[in-house]
Amino acid sequence: APHVVLSLHIERKDGRGLAMVGGFVKVGESAEAAAAREAAEETGLEVTQLQQWCMFSEPRRDPRRHTAALVFVGRARGTPRSGDDAKGIRVVSISDLQRAPPKFAFDHGQIVAAFVARHHPLEAHAGWRRRNHRSSGGSAADAAYDGSCRV
């Protein structure tokens, strides 16, 4: 059977668009444990084989406060179901992300586009940046992916 790569996102209740699964690290918790816990809480999935991929820390990436996103990739098992934080869950294939990326909240479109550009390059997704930087207001977060984040 062919290997299909999927990207799972929560649908935000506030209508800002799709968001990557995530949250905050608790005191005494590793970033890897926090990533697995947040995935389980928000999606019901058991995530394994977590690998740190990239850090996104542009100060204006989240209009609510200065945060940094330490992005992980991994494998998931189970049936996705939305937790309390989400209106729903969307599973999107990489080919759909390249062809017609959905609206993302905050800078999550930039983060997903960077991952796709690095691991699934296609000339067809060149217009991604234009369609997915609604909240950055022309800040440094709009800079093109420079290839610095690698698995």
Side-chain angles (χ1 to χ4, degrees):
H3 180 70
V4 177
V5 178
L6 301 173
S7 179
L8 182 128
H9 307 279
I10 62 169
E11 295 179 44
R12 290 184 53 89
K13 289 180 180 177
D14 63 11
R16 292 184 193 203
L18 298 181
M20 297 180 342
V21 173
F24 296 96
V25 178
K26 293 180 178 179
V27 173
E29 182 178 48
S30 71
E32 291 80 3
R37 175 183 51 77
E38 287 287 347
E41 289 174 3
E42 294 183 12
T43 69
L45 297 174
E46 177 189 356
V47 178
T48 60
Q49 299 179 30
L50 282 169
Q51 295 180 340
Q52 286 185 24
W53 175 61
C54 190
M55 171 73 77
F56 290 79
S57 62
E58 161 62 37
R60 295 169 294 209
R61 61 175 296 275
D62 184 335
R64 299 170 299 180
R65 66 184 156 277
H66 185 180
T67 63
L70 177 57
V71 181
F72 288 87
V73 295
R75 297 193 182 276
R77 285 192 294 249
T79 302
R81 59 171 170 66
S82 60
D84 291 343
D85 293 354
K87 179 172 90 173
I89 292 201
R90 291 247 325 257
V91 177
V92 185
S93 70
I94 295 298
S95 62
D96 285 346
L97 286 171
Q98 292 167 323
R99 185 175 51 257
K103 177 185 173 189
F104 282 93
F106 314 116
D107 66 342
H108 294 195
Q110 177 189 2
I111 294 170
V112 173
F115 181 83
V116 170
R118 170 66 177 103
H119 297 284
H120 305 280
L122 257 191
E123 291 179 12
H125 86 275
W128 175 294
R129 235 175 33 90
R130 223 174 17 262
R131 293 189 299 269
N132 277 292
H133 292 279
R134 293 172 169 81
S135 65
S136 60
S139 73
D142 282 330
Y145 172 60
D146 67 3
S148 61
C149 295
R150 306 195 187 306
V151 170

